Structures are given as structure tokens and as C-alpha cells.
Amino acid sequence: MTSSPNFDAHDKPPLVAVITPVYNGAPYLAETMECVQAQTYPNLVHVVLDNASTDETPDILRRYTEGRVPVRVTRNSETLPLSDNWQKAL
């Protein structure tokens, strides 16, 4: 997204959530996080559903906690079925 729509000063644009489910996705996760952080939409949140990754996924996610786009991480203590992991986003 390279440009934002014009909003009246009194209007707040709708909140948009980018949801990223991940399990041992360290080889690709930093690139994904960078892409979301680079978005220019003014009311964006990034929800990451870590399905009990055993690789460097938690370390990568910690690097983005202070980014321009807020990151909300839900980490499962054990691997859940895909649909159960997605339910954590609700």
C-alpha cells in the first residue's frame, strides 16, 4: 500500500488487521514483518498467531514490538490444529 485515502480530520479510518499464522516460519518471518511495517495505512495492527514454534520465531517477533505498526502476538504453548490457531485471532 503506497498511498492512504484522504480522511476528514474528524474521521478515524477503520482499523485493519493483518493476521499472520506462523509455525516455525523463521526463514520468512522477518521479511513478512518488514512488509507489514512498511505499510502506510494509518490505522493498522498486525496480529501474529505463533502456533508453538520451536525455531527463532519468538526472537524475530520480539524485534518488532516497537514498530510503527502495533504487533499483537498470541503464542500457543502447544501446537494446535489450524482452525483452532486461527480462532485465537478473534
Side-chain angles (χ1 to χ4, degrees), residues 24-74:
N24 290 344
Y28 312 101
L29 187 56
E31 181 178 5
T32 299
M33 300 301 290
E34 288 293 331
C35 287
V36 175
Q37 288 297 315
Q39 299 305 304
T40 59
Y41 185 78
N43 199 11
L44 190 65
V45 64
H46 190 183
V47 178
V48 182
L49 308 170
D50 181 1
N51 202 1
S53 296
T54 58
D55 63 359
E56 297 81 28
T57 291
D59 297 327
I60 294 168
L61 292 172
R62 275 191 284 280
R63 295 195 316 239
Y64 293 90
T65 58
E66 299 297 322
R68 188 192 67 74
V69 175
V71 177
R72 307 287 183 254
V73 177
T74 298

Side-chain angles (χ1 to χ4, degrees), residues 6-14 42:
N6 293 325
F7 293 97
D8 185 285
H10 303 323
D11 293 336
K12 186 172 184 178

Side-chain angles (χ1 to χ4, degrees), residues 18-30:
V18 175
I19 302 172
T20 303
V22 62
Y23 174 73
N24 290 344
Y28 312 101
L29 187 56

